[in-house]
């Protein structure tokens, strides 16, 4: 409990509420949850309190249900996965507030005559019924769309140069950035955290130069753990990215005057490129290429996984490359083409019924 002993607050309700939130935040900090996760959860509880006009010890199931119902209506309704996350976080908060080990129920009963109740359970929360609940519009790029995206990025470089305007170096960086996302199947934060020392030679494939291996140090964490690490190998089908990245690091990056900054991707202000800036780069190039707005930067990762499968790499190799704990997650990302599936079908038929391919007499 985060209260000062033997002190009666002048305005007790908001002070007790904030003390309760601080206690919950501390509980999460000792579990080493990320600060942004904790802040997001606290903001949600405050938002629910503002919506209801009540403090948590006054909440009923109907108040929380009305809060979520309000979020799913309007011009920008939340998705099912977002609603599940909100309900889960509110359930966790109420679990903390009602836990007798923290004493908040006794404090609220003594001061307000009411105690917080756990008003969320299986009767009014959302079960996780499907492995993938993202937008059905999200999909891998086709090969032609990948090429169109890269052509548009290169075209923006030439356009800026032709007009003799500032920004040619940034455009070159942006084109190389998008190609790296696809060639290594990276997430945004993984690309954000790359340093010069994280790209190195693969002794088994010296032809790939200094970019044969990427050491990812900022992989997606889980359950409050630290960022996961993995090693991503550049596959031969993506060797076209080698001269692109070598030109970036040897010729273009030094022109940004980054000094001793270790980041692989730097800005005009000599800092590390942000994830938001990477999203903006992708959006502008996608628009220039005239591609579907449903395609986002993460779809390049979907494309990488799909294309590795179509290249014939084993599923376990692909799973390790992209850092998935379970093969089922990799399968969700995979959207192989009709041509690839027909090729597999034809091969299976040839193996089982070779007589179908024998010439007629």
């Amino acid at each position: 409990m985060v209260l000062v002993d033997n002190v009666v607050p002048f305005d007790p309700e908001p002070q007790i509420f904030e003390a309760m939130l601080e206690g919950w935040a501390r509980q999460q900090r000792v579990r080493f949850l990320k600060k942004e996760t904790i802040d997001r959860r606290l903001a949600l509880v405050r938002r629910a309190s503002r919506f209801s006009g009540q403090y948590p010890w006054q909440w009923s199931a109907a108040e929380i249900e009305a809060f979520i119902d309000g979020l799913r209506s309007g011009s920008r309704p939340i998705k099912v996965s977002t609603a599940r996350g909100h309900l889960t976080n509110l359930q966790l908060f109420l679990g903390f507030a009602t836990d007798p080990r923290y004493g908040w129920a006794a404090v609220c009963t003594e001061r307000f005559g009411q105690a917080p109740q756990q008003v969320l359970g299986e009767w009014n929360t959302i079960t996780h019924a499907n492995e993938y609940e993202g937008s059905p519009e999200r999909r891998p790029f086709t090969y032609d769309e990948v090429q169109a995206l890269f052509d548009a990025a290169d075209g923006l470089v030439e356009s800026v140069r032709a007009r003799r305007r500032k920004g040619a170096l940034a455009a070159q960086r942006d084109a190389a950035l998008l190609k790296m996302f696809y060639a290594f199947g990276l997430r945004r934060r993984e690309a954000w955290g790359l340093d010069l020392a994280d790209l190195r030679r693969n002794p088994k494939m010296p032809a790939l130069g200094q970019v044969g291996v990427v050491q990812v140090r900022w992989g997606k964490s889980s359950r409050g753990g630290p960022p996961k690490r993995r090693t991503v190998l550049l596959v031969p089908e993506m060797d076209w990215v080698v001269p692109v990245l070598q030109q970036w690091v040897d010729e273009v990056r030094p022109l940004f005057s980054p000094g001793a900054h270790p980041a692989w991707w730097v800005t005009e202000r000599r800092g590390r490129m942000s994830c938001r800036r990477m999203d903006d780069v992708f959006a502008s190039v996608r628009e220039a290429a005239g591609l579907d707005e449903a395609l986002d930067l993460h779809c390049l990762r979907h494309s990488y996984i799909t294309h590795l499968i179509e290249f014939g790499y084993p599923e376990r190799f692909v799973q390790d490359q992209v850092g998935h704990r379970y093969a089922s997650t990799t399968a969700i990302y995979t959207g192989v083409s009709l041509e690839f599936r027909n090729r597999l079908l034809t091969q299976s038929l040839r193996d089982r019924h070779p007589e179908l391919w024998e010439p007629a007499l």
Side-chain angles (χ1 to χ4, degrees), residues 149 153 156 170-171 173-175 177-178 273 275-287 297:
L149 184 76
L156 290 175
R173 175 203 61 203
D174 297 345
L177 170 72
L178 295 180
M273 197 173 183
C275 293
R276 177 174 292 183
R277 175 58 183 157
M278 293 177 183
D279 280 332
D280 292 342
V281 165
F282 173 83
S284 63
V285 176
R286 179 192 60 198
E287 181 179 358
L297 184 55

Side-chain angles (χ1 to χ4, degrees), residues 179-247:
K179 293 170 184 176
M180 184 186 213
F181 266 106
Y182 172 65
F184 289 95
L186 299 179
R187 301 180 178 96
R188 282 169 298 184
R189 188 165 176 82
E190 293 171 352
W192 164 85
L194 284 179
D195 287 344
L196 294 175
D198 294 326
L199 280 87
R200 60 194 68 169
R201 181 182 298 273
N202 184 345
K204 300 295 184 181
M205 301 186 68
L208 300 180
Q210 298 297 326
V211 295
V213 176
V214 166
Q215 182 65 44
V216 172
R217 295 181 293 110
W218 291 89
K220 188 176 181 180
S221 59
S222 60
R223 299 183 181 277
K228 295 179 181 177
R229 298 189 175 212
R230 74 178 188 279
T231 299
V232 184
L233 306 179
L234 182 63
V235 298
E237 290 83 357
M238 302 290 186
D239 62 359
W240 49 264
V241 83
V242 172
V244 174
L245 297 181
Q246 285 293 163
Q247 183 186 35

Side-chain angles (χ1 to χ4, degrees), residues 36-201:
E36 51 265 35
T37 299
I38 298 172
D39 290 345
R40 185 171 61 249
R41 288 176 170 180
L42 297 182
L44 174 67
V45 174
R46 291 191 176 100
R47 188 176 178 185
S49 180
R50 288 196 302 270
F51 174 87
S52 64
Q54 297 177 340
Y55 293 104
W57 51 89
Q58 301 169 315
W59 285 350
S60 65
E63 290 293 345
I64 301 301
E65 291 165 6
F67 171 61
I68 298 298
D69 188 51
L71 294 178
R72 61 170 301 198
S73 60
S75 59
R76 297 183 63 184
I78 61 174
K79 299 182 183 299
V80 172
S81 57
T82 303
R84 179 188 299 107
H86 286 354
L87 287 167
T88 298
N89 288 329
L90 290 171
Q91 189 176 29
L92 289 172
F93 168 72
L94 289 173
F96 164 81
T98 57
D99 191 326
R101 290 172 294 188
Y102 294 102
W104 288 111
V107 169
C108 293
T109 300
E110 178 185 349
R111 303 204 179 187
F112 312 120
Q114 290 178 284
Q117 303 291 324
Q118 178 56 273
V119 298
L120 292 171
E122 60 181 10
W123 61 89
N124 59 356
T125 53
I126 305 170
T127 59
H128 199 146
N130 299 315
E131 289 185 286
Y132 179 68
E133 294 180 333
S135 170
E137 296 178 337
R138 175 180 276 188
R139 58 172 176 79
F141 285 74
T142 65
Y143 292 101
D144 289 342
E145 287 172 332
V146 171
Q147 189 61 56
L149 184 76
F150 294 163
D151 288 346
D154 293 337
L156 290 175
V157 176
E158 297 304 320
S159 175
V160 173
R161 284 176 174 169
R163 288 179 291 171
R164 297 182 178 181
R165 296 178 59 183
K166 292 182 179 180
L169 292 178
Q172 282 184 273
R173 175 203 61 203
D174 297 345
L177 170 72
L178 295 180
K179 293 170 184 176
M180 184 186 213
F181 266 106
Y182 172 65
F184 289 95
L186 299 179
R187 301 180 178 96
R188 282 169 298 184
R189 188 165 176 82
E190 293 171 352
W192 164 85
L194 284 179
D195 287 344
L196 294 175
D198 294 326
L199 280 87
R200 60 194 68 169
R201 181 182 298 273

